[in-house]
Amino acid sequence: MTQHEIKDNMEVIGADGVHVGTVDHVEGNRIKLKKNDSDGFHKGHHHFIELGFVAGVEGSKVRLSANAAIAVTLEEEKSGKPVD
């Protein structure tokens, strides 16, 4: 898998096929998720997922190596700090 396979607006799913987010774009070694995928206190700003958690690209979807419930705990803020 190369980051060049990941395109804007692709759906990001967990290993279990559950929606995690939508690619805004790749920024460095992380996927920047669209703002509208953030919930609650974190609503209205971007979260990021390290490319190292990507298992592969399947058609128009980016599949992560962790199930969605775990994957959302791996999301980071722009600073690189974990999402609270």
Side-chain angles (χ1 to χ4, degrees):
M1 191 288 308
T2 67
Q3 70 185 51
H4 303 293
E5 294 178 80
I6 300 173
K7 306 293 183 202
D8 298 357
N9 300 311
M10 291 179 99
E11 181 180 15
V12 179
I13 58 173
D16 53 358
V18 175
H19 178 84
V20 172
T22 306
V23 176
D24 188 73
H25 64 273
V26 175
E27 190 171 288
N29 64 345
R30 303 188 301 174
I31 296 171
K32 184 176 189 178
L33 299 174
K34 291 191 177 270
K35 288 181 184 180
N36 61 354
D37 286 316
S38 300
D39 291 324
F41 172 74
H42 295 278
K43 192 172 181 119
H45 71 268
H46 298 281
H47 288 165
F48 297 78
I49 295 180
E50 293 283 337
L51 287 174
F53 295 118
V54 175
V57 174
E58 302 170 358
S60 63
K61 297 182 182 196
V62 178
R63 184 174 296 272
L64 302 177
S65 57
N67 287 342
I70 300 299
V72 295
T73 68
L74 302 172
E75 290 181 8
E76 300 175 341
E77 298 290 350
K78 184 174 183 159
S79 66
K81 292 183 179 182
V83 173
D84 294 331

